[in-house]
Amino acid sequence: MNDKTIDLRSDTVTKPTLAMRQAMAEAEVGDDVLGDDPTVKALERRTAELLGKDAAVFVPSGTMANQLAIRCNTEPGDEMLLDANAHIYWYEAGASAALSGVICRTLLGVRGIFSSADVRAALRPIDVHFPPTRLLSIENTHNRGGGSIWPLEEIQDVCSVARESGIRTHLDGARLWNASVATGIPESEYAKDFDSVSVCFSKGLGAPVGSALVGNTEFVESARRFRKQFGGGMRQAGIIASGALYALVHHRERLADDHENAKRLASGLREIPGIHVSSDTIDTNMVYFDVERRSAMQLTKLLKEMNVLVLSTGKHTIRAVTSLAVDVDDIFRTIDIVRNVSW
Ligand code: TLP
């Protein structure tokens, strides 16, 4: 038996390559809280350029980038509009309430994508009873939406409704790189309509640690203050920023391979009786599927015994994510193993 573990739990499981480790070992560093780390500065400059914004701030995680954006764009008691399946709503441990005192109002999107009509419908008159709606957040690609990509026109529409209504806008772009590689639309084009954008280096790009928050100069200055307040000021962070910079330069284009592998996996799974792939289209690197005969927990356990790791995300739903941790052979092996254990 081939005993390599195939890890499809997330694209966060990727490990730094030898060349990336080399770059990290050689990174020039300084005290970043004091503004002295040249590698962090280089990463921030490059990220801001790619996103077409004035500035960027390097942070330890995507969660911190999103939460800083919420803190900077709102005041306690404000309301934020976001999709009911947004990462910020599901997976950030209630941080928007705990750290920013913000109440979430959810919109029911399709695969994470809602419309400008949904935003309009959520708007209320200014009234002493209502929490002021101050922020609109979207996620692109959308994780629980199945790695779905927001159409650019929809983004422009929802952002223009927000702007007309004096609502600020944030993009959770943890996997914006995937959207750009899949559509050929540059990250800067996707980012254009937003006041703030978070991006991650530690997902499909394969860096061990790190995310960034981008926006205009004033916004990023305020994010730096809150980063310190949230405990995210790092010292010789150039070591990890160097891995992120390496990933940005060398691993963006190869995300297309992950997208091909996700399509391969979905089409193999579709052939298996009792397995239903949640969506007809696989936009990027995620495959969600439902299992008929067993609970998702049971199947996850059986697959683990066969060295295939996936995540159960619902009673009968499983998520498999492709990344540089898996190759084509792993995908075909996974399909065979699922076929053998799912019945
Ligand atoms: N997502 C993780 C888990 O938290 C679910 C994963 O394995 O997919 N935005 C989006 C859209 C994300 O998917 C994630 C991570 C984050 C933000 C947060 O990033 P980190 O984990 O760096 O805090």
Side-chain angles (χ1 to χ4, degrees):
M1 189 176 110
N2 184 340
D3 58 7
K4 175 192 169 188
T5 296
I6 302 173
D7 198 341
L8 294 158
R9 287 172 302 169
S10 182
D11 47 9
T12 59
V13 303
T14 50
K15 293 180 182 160
T17 60
L18 213 57
M20 188 185 283
R21 283 176 189 266
Q22 192 76 41
M24 294 170 76
E26 288 164 8
E28 263 189 77
V29 297
D31 187 324
D32 183 50
V33 172
L34 302 180
D36 283 353
D37 192 301
T39 310
V40 171
K41 283 186 179 166
L43 174 67
E44 290 176 342
R45 249 193 327 271
R46 178 135 197 159
T47 307
E49 265 165 33
L50 268 171
L51 274 293
K53 300 285 186 203
D54 293 346
V57 55
F58 184 50
V59 294
S61 69
T63 300
M64 187 178 282
N66 283 335
Q67 294 305 323
L68 284 176
I70 295 167
R71 183 65 192 87
C72 294
N73 280 314
T74 61
E75 290 300 329
D78 284 350
E79 176 182 80
M80 161 169 58
L81 299 178
L82 75 178
D83 178 68
N85 275 304
H87 189 277
I88 288 175
Y89 187 64
W90 270 76
Y91 298 127
E92 301 193 5
S96 50
L99 304 177
S100 298
V102 162
I103 182 168
C104 289
R105 177 118 166 269
T106 55
L107 307 177
L108 279 179
V110 177
R111 299 184 73 211
I113 298 162
F114 47 82
S115 68
S116 54
D118 297 327
V119 177
R120 275 190 210 284
L123 298 177
R124 290 173 300 210
I126 295 172
D127 183 294
V128 72
H129 294 86
F130 302 141
T133 308
R134 203 82 71 185
L135 181 61
L136 171 81
S137 175
I138 81 156
E139 189 176 313
N140 191 19
T141 66
H142 199 286
N143 182 341
R144 286 181 61 87
S148 52
I149 301 175
W150 271 73
L152 194 56
E153 313 78 66
E154 291 282 358
I155 294 178
Q156 289 161 347
D157 281 358
V158 297
C159 287
S160 94
V161 172
R163 238 186 336 267
E164 280 165 23
S165 319
I167 296 172
R168 295 179 65 82
T169 50
H170 172 65
L171 168 61
D172 176 352
R175 297 186 180 82
L176 189 62
W177 322 112
N178 295 75
S180 287
V181 164
T183 61
I185 298 171
E187 289 84 353
S188 56
E189 201 54 36
Y190 277 123
K192 207 161 154 185
D193 289 284
F194 294 93
D195 293 304
S196 58
V197 182
S198 58
V199 289
C200 293
F201 309 109
S202 61
K203 312 237 156 26
L205 292 188
V209 189
S211 292
L213 180 63
V214 302
N216 70 25
T217 310
E218 194 191 343
F219 178 88
V220 171
E221 274 319 298
S222 112
R224 277 188 201 285
R225 182 171 93 78
F226 286 117
R227 179 183 69 168
K228 193 73 186 85
Q229 194 179 82
F230 286 10
M234 298 176 282
R235 301 297 177 177
Q236 284 70 37
I239 299 276
I240 52 175
S242 171
L245 201 48
Y246 182 93
L248 208 49
V249 175
H250 294 95
H251 290 175
R252 255 162 78 232
E253 294 308 317
R254 65 148 307 285
L255 291 172
D257 300 342
D258 300 341
H259 302 170
E260 280 311 305
N261 278 337
K263 286 193 180 76
R264 274 188 197 105
L265 178 62
S267 59
L269 293 176
R270 282 193 191 101
E271 302 298 313
I272 302 174
I275 297 282
H276 303 282
V277 174
S278 306
S279 151
D280 291 341
T281 54
I282 300 298
D283 290 352
T284 54
N285 66 334
M286 295 198 179
V287 181
Y288 280 81
F289 58 96
D290 284 347
V291 43
E292 215 172 80
R293 288 290 192 94
R294 301 183 183 279
S295 72
M297 296 277 260
Q298 270 176 329
L299 185 60
T300 305
K301 195 163 164 275
L302 288 170
L303 289 174
K304 189 173 179 190
E305 284 163 15
M306 303 299 288
N307 292 332
V308 175
L309 306 181
V310 291
L311 273 190
S312 125
T313 60
K315 215 163 178 264
H316 288 276
T317 310
I318 283 178
R319 182 186 80 164
V321 184
T322 54
S323 69
L324 53 73
V326 294
D327 60 23
V328 184
D329 290 344
D330 297 333
I331 297 299
F332 289 125
R333 238 182 86 214
T334 299
I335 297 166
D336 283 343
I337 292 171
V338 175
R339 186 180 295 111
N340 289 336
V341 302
S342 63
W343 205 234

